[in-house]
Amino acid sequence: MLLRAAWRRAAVAVTAAPGPKPAAPTRGLRLRVGDHAPQSAVPADTTVAPEAGPVLRPLYMDVQATTPLDPRVLDAMLPYLINYYGNPHSRTHAYGWESEAAMERARQQVASLIGADPREIIFTSGATESNNIAIKGVARFYRSRKKHLITTQTEHKCVLDSCRSLEAEGFQVTYLPVQKSGIIDLKELEAAIQPDTSLVSVMTVNNEIGVKQPIAEIGQICSSRKVYFHTDAAQAVGKIPLDVNDMKIDLMSISGHKIYGPKGCVIWVYTLWNARALMGSHSPVPFFRFGIGRFTTEEEVDYTVEKCIQHVKRLREMSPLWEMVQDGIDLKSIKWTQH
Amino acid sequence: MAASSRAQVLDLYRAMLRESKRFSSYNYRTYAVRRIRDAFRENKNVKDPVEIQTLVNKAKRDLEVIRRQCPLSNGIK
């Protein structure tokens, strides 16, 4: 009886408090340490006590995986989901014309973002599909004369899977290693290009470690050696300046949901290309990492960092390895027994 | 057409901030307030009346977006 009265009082207090109060961010903010953090780090708060007020959700720090939809994007899309629902390819009536006009406007916006021509933009279902089209398409188109591709070891899984499936078809793929900085060695790239190389695929910005590859230089090398250059620019578009002509990029994959757009719609840029689409597989890589975006606040970052330090310290205290380190033992000298 | 006066621009600024504070999503709310402040501050020294009117028109359109999207995003649980 007593408990229920206290609960009702608490519930009333929550509803009475005005929602928006940017000055008190730490109250009620919960931590989500990466999306795939080790299970012991922070207990997953899937069981939240039912509250009468606004539902408290964890802080979102996985922006490189996907971004929330910007309200302006939703506002721009809604008319076409509600009233203007025509198929853009219906050329014979107004519903089709207005949808087509909207699509062409979108195409123009994307083109101006990356310095391309609107006719070079193709809409696909995702960066995965775009990467598959680019890599498998180019490789198979030149199958008769060129059998070699170059990519890096830090590419996204769909790129690596495409290359692997091409290897099974008889192509030869060079996976360039990255230096300690995460950036490829341009000299190694130049050395790897053979007379029968058809495509080089290097992502612009890495989704795990955030390094920016020297795209303009790579584009220069590729164009001088007459090799096509594909880049997975999913993490780079809208964040760093990109120009497909200046950087001599032949094919570029862009992901809508990494730039505050919806999932299930992506853009693929091609110049002078016509390739078949083939789906590949994609699964997330578990990794302890943070990503922030335009909707992240300083308070969220500070709170997350504090929580992270607190929990790492707590876990570290439980670890015998930490005791050894504190005693001055070099971890590399430990002989591990097999279990 | 006479360009917007200082008073009108300030009214618009206040209206945008007021509407933005109604987002129940912490992230949308803080972003909207921050972005509005930054954008108005960035353009505070613009003198050309045509440019001012263009910016004001864009701000008015964005105010409409906030007015539409606030109840929509607040209403979804």
Side-chain angles (χ1 to χ4, degrees):
Chain A
M1 201 57 176
L2 246 142
L3 275 171
R4 220 180 290 155
W7 156 243
R8 237 182 286 126
R9 265 203 301 276
V12 166
V14 171
T15 37
K21 214 187 252 173
T26 51
R27 184 172 56 86
L29 290 182
R30 272 202 209 102
L31 171 69
R32 173 66 60 82
V33 177
D35 247 352
H36 305 282
Q39 286 311 306
S40 55
V42 173
D45 54 351
T46 45
T47 53
V48 178
E51 291 159 27
V55 177
L56 298 176
R57 291 178 52 73
L59 304 185
Y60 188 69
M61 292 279 162
D62 201 14
V63 169
Q64 70 278 44
T66 188
T67 54
L69 201 61
D70 193 305
R72 293 169 288 187
V73 172
L74 183 59
D75 196 77
M77 288 175 66
L78 273 175
Y80 301 95
L81 299 172
I82 297 174
N83 292 318
Y84 304 107
Y85 48 78
N87 188 325
H89 298 122
S90 302
R91 314 209 109 206
T92 52
H93 51 73
Y95 284 94
W97 303 329
E98 65 205 4
S99 293
E100 191 189 5
M103 200 171 79
E104 294 312 312
R105 263 199 311 276
R107 209 186 289 276
Q108 177 59 56
Q109 285 176 320
V110 173
S112 51
L113 183 60
I114 55 172
D117 187 280
R119 288 165 299 178
E120 295 173 326
I121 310 284
I122 297 181
F123 291 112
T124 64
S125 71
T128 304
E129 186 188 348
S130 296
N131 284 333
N132 273 272
I133 297 174
I135 296 168
K136 291 177 180 167
V138 174
R140 290 178 184 156
F141 194 79
Y142 286 110
R143 190 202 293 270
S144 52
R145 289 185 287 127
K146 300 197 177 190
K147 286 249 162 192
H148 181 235
L149 300 133
I150 300 174
T151 184
T152 72
Q153 290 175 3
T154 54
E155 290 296 309
H156 195 265
K157 192 162 186 295
C158 57
V159 170
L160 296 174
D161 281 352
S162 302
C163 291
R164 204 163 307 132
S165 82
L166 285 174
E167 278 181 315
E169 288 179 26
F171 289 87
Q172 192 209 344
V173 181
T174 302
Y175 299 91
L176 291 173
V178 293
Q179 301 165 83
K180 266 198 154 48
S181 59
I183 302 176
I184 62 165
D185 185 341
L186 291 171
K187 298 221 175 21
E188 277 189 35
L189 170 65
E190 280 194 89
I193 297 180
Q194 299 165 14
D196 72 337
T197 304
S198 54
L199 181 73
V200 168
S201 176
V202 179
M203 63 186 352
T204 318
V205 171
N206 188 283
N207 55 315
E208 302 281 342
I209 52 181
V211 288
K212 299 185 284 188
Q213 299 290 352
I215 293 298
E217 285 83 353
I218 299 173
Q220 193 57 48
I221 294 171
C222 290
S223 97
S224 65
R225 303 285 292 269
K226 301 276 189 292
V227 176
Y228 283 106
F229 177 36
H230 164 255
T231 182
D232 178 356
Q235 299 291 342
V237 169
K239 294 164 189 157
I240 57 169
L242 288 172
D243 188 304
V244 290
N245 291 317
D246 289 347
M247 295 174 171
K248 303 215 182 345
I249 298 169
D250 297 303
L251 300 119
M252 176 193 273
S253 306
I254 305 173
S255 180
H257 71 100
K258 302 277 170 27
I259 46 174
Y260 312 100
K263 288 134 183 100
C265 172
V266 135
I267 311 106
W268 181 57
V269 181
Y270 82 122
T271 47
L272 312 170
W273 261 112
N274 225 338
R276 289 185 318 229
L278 284 150
M279 290 304 291
S281 68
H282 163 67
S283 60
V285 177
F287 200 95
F288 197 96
R289 67 193 179 184
F290 298 105
I292 61 176
R294 68 164 61 138
F295 296 112
T296 316
T297 62
E298 284 181 36
E299 288 88 358
E300 282 178 310
V301 175
D302 289 342
Y303 183 85
T304 305
V305 166
E306 286 306 317
K307 270 283 173 123
C308 196
I309 293 173
Q310 186 192 328
H311 284 290
V312 168
K313 279 196 175 133
R314 176 181 66 85
L315 290 168
R316 201 168 56 178
E317 292 309 314
M318 298 185 209
S319 166
L321 281 177
W322 176 238
E323 283 170 27
M324 290 197 218
V325 166
Q326 287 182 310
D327 289 340
I329 300 171
D330 176 18
L331 292 180
K332 292 200 187 48
S333 65
I334 297 174
K335 301 234 180 327
W336 298 99
T337 59
Q338 298 283 58
H339 283 266
Chain B
M1 173 163 94
S4 299
S5 69
R6 181 187 153 78
Q8 285 171 317
V9 171
L10 285 175
D11 276 345
L12 184 57
Y13 178 60
R14 272 190 286 267
M16 290 184 87
L17 286 179
R18 205 171 42 237
E19 292 294 328
S20 299
K21 292 192 173 138
R22 295 163 73 189
F23 272 118
S24 62
S25 156
Y26 167 77
N27 296 98
Y28 284 170
R29 189 172 63 243
T30 51
Y31 173 71
V33 166
R34 189 169 71 231
R35 187 74 190 93
I36 291 164
R37 283 206 184 114
D38 288 351
F40 274 81
R41 201 158 291 161
E42 194 186 318
N43 292 312
K44 73 175 181 206
N45 292 323
V46 172
K47 294 278 178 282
D48 173 29
V50 173
E51 204 185 332
I52 292 176
Q53 198 53 46
T54 313
L55 291 166
V56 163
N57 289 340
K58 179 171 189 307
K60 280 185 178 151
R61 279 197 305 272
D62 287 339
L63 176 58
E64 288 308 307
V65 171
I66 297 172
R67 282 206 172 115
R68 274 193 298 267
Q69 290 303 316
C70 237
L72 182 61
S73 61
N74 293 352
I76 312 289
K77 284 286 165 275

